Amino acid sequence: PRSPRLPSMPRPIALIALLVALALGTARAQTPSHGLVLAVEDTMRTEVPEVAVRARRVTIDEILDRVARGEARRDSLMHDQTFTATLRVMRNTVGSATPELWSEIVNRVYKRKPDQVRAVELRRYERKADDDSDGPTFTPGMGEQIVNFAFRPENRARYRFTIEDRRILGDHLVYTLGFEPRSSLTPYEPRGRVWVDTQDDVILRQELSFAASPVPLLVKRIPHMVVERTRVGDTWVLSRVMARIEFTVPLPKLGRSVDFAMLMSDHAIDTGLPDSLFTTSSRGSAR
């Protein structure tokens, strides 16, 4: 329901409030040394009567249906996408060792439906050069399942959803939804919360955690993971993925933990990418 709008302050009242404030300052400076001093009330209160709202609350199932439709609509409206992807890995992020940039790889990525993708490496830094190391891989799809995996119709039955909060930000109503695995036998599956913009019915931000490590022999825990989108024109696109990974035993090159970040910037949507961009003779590496 919409919050009641407070009546605007008439100009005479605003002028009186200003004069009262000035008078209070003057009164403090000119307080007589004898006799009684009267206290002056310098606060103004406005009360608005409560309004009974009879409109039905939107249910969690209705919100989930809207999110599924909104995400599918977002995917269907994009035909090609271009962005710069920066993969950055910091090591020794937990404990007494000094955090250190281990690697940074920058690619310009081109994607076009239904199944074409190309990544052209622009820059690479590695603390210790490794000829066998590969850069990140990219898929041609526009669906961004890393954002909406729990909210896809085929996966919804595996999770339990709750409405945690509703907030009006500007002219947008944003829901905060929590989710967790329904089965206690799958503690390695992620749980967390998402922020949904009801104007477009898409997910803007997601925070994840894991009750148990998905790879217990190697990974001790993933305490926190954040996935964010940004708006480009009328479309919300992936802009940042960040996670901290703590290992069961120190790894020779990475230590006990790493901070992983994938940053996507300089997006361009539906620019009409040419066929020549996806041929094997084009400059750069296809992934």
Side-chain angles (χ1 to χ4, degrees):
R2 293 175 178 254
S3 301
R5 179 177 296 178
L6 294 176
S8 60
M9 182 180 293
R11 291 186 178 179
I13 296 180
L15 180 58
I16 292 172
L18 177 61
L19 293 176
V20 169
L22 293 174
L24 288 175
T26 305
R28 282 192 294 268
Q30 299 177 353
T31 300
S33 58
H34 60 279
L36 298 177
V37 178
L38 299 179
V40 180
E41 178 60 48
D42 63 348
T43 59
M44 300 182 65
R45 293 185 175 86
T46 302
E47 294 184 0
V48 178
E50 295 182 357
V51 178
V53 178
R54 298 181 180 180
R56 182 179 62 88
R57 284 281 192 180
V58 179
T59 66
I60 184 64
D61 287 333
E62 290 174 316
I63 296 175
L64 295 178
D65 289 340
R66 292 180 183 180
V67 171
R69 291 193 299 268
E71 290 286 334
R73 181 172 60 253
R74 171 201 166 277
D75 184 7
S76 67
L77 292 177
M78 281 192 293
H79 302 287
D80 63 66
Q81 183 180 168
T82 305
F83 57 90
T84 299
T86 302
L87 171 63
R88 187 174 297 144
V89 178
M90 297 284 297
R91 69 171 185 167
N92 295 328
T93 54
V94 172
S96 59
T98 303
E100 181 182 24
L101 177 63
W102 179 253
S103 69
E104 183 177 86
I105 303 173
V106 182
N107 285 273
R108 188 65 174 168
V109 182
Y110 306 90
K111 304 168 71 170
R112 186 174 70 174
K113 286 182 176 179
D115 56 3
Q116 293 176 306
V117 60
R118 185 176 188 83
V120 179
E121 188 170 291
L122 305 179
R123 186 173 72 252
R124 175 186 288 256
Y125 165 81
E126 292 178 319
R127 179 67 178 81
K128 292 184 178 180
D130 186 352
D131 294 336
D132 297 329
S133 65
D134 294 326
T137 58
F138 304 92
T139 61
M142 308 286 179
E144 299 182 352
Q145 294 191 33
I146 192 173
V147 180
N148 56 39
F149 65 92
F151 294 79
R152 300 176 73 86
E154 62 269 24
N155 295 335
R156 271 170 50 181
R158 293 161 46 192
Y159 295 92
R160 182 181 297 106
F161 300 88
T162 56
I163 300 175
E164 294 187 354
D165 192 19
R166 303 176 179 86
R167 289 179 181 268
I168 296 178
L169 303 177
D171 60 346
H172 291 226
L173 175 61
V174 176
Y175 278 85
T176 304
L177 307 180
F179 66 94
E180 61 181 3
R182 287 186 178 274
S183 174
S184 59
L185 301 178
T186 56
Y188 50 82
E189 288 197 354
R191 64 196 63 215
R193 60 176 53 88
V194 300
W195 284 258
V196 176
D197 182 357
T198 58
Q199 190 170 67
D200 298 312
D201 292 324
V202 297
I203 297 171
L204 310 184
R205 175 184 169 90
Q206 182 171 227
E207 294 182 353
L208 299 172
S209 62
F210 298 80
S213 169
V215 191
L217 293 180
L218 178 63
V219 176
K220 179 180 179 181
R221 65 184 189 128
I222 304 176
H224 199 57
M225 182 174 178
V226 176
V227 182
E228 294 179 341
R229 278 174 167 165
T230 189
R231 187 162 191 156
V232 177
D234 295 329
T235 306
W236 289 94
V237 292
L238 191 63
S239 62
R240 184 162 59 169
V241 180
M242 299 180 297
R244 171 164 292 178
I245 303 174
E246 299 179 13
F247 301 112
T248 306
V249 295
L251 298 187
K253 295 181 179 180
L254 298 177
R256 289 190 172 275
S257 65
V258 296
D259 280 3
F260 164 93
M262 176 72 82
L263 310 176
M264 279 69 71
S265 60
D266 301 326
H267 292 81
I269 308 296
D270 292 341
T271 57
L273 298 177
D275 294 340
S276 60
L277 189 61
F278 300 97
T279 61
T280 56
S281 60
S282 297
R283 184 171 178 266
S285 58
R287 303 190 191 281

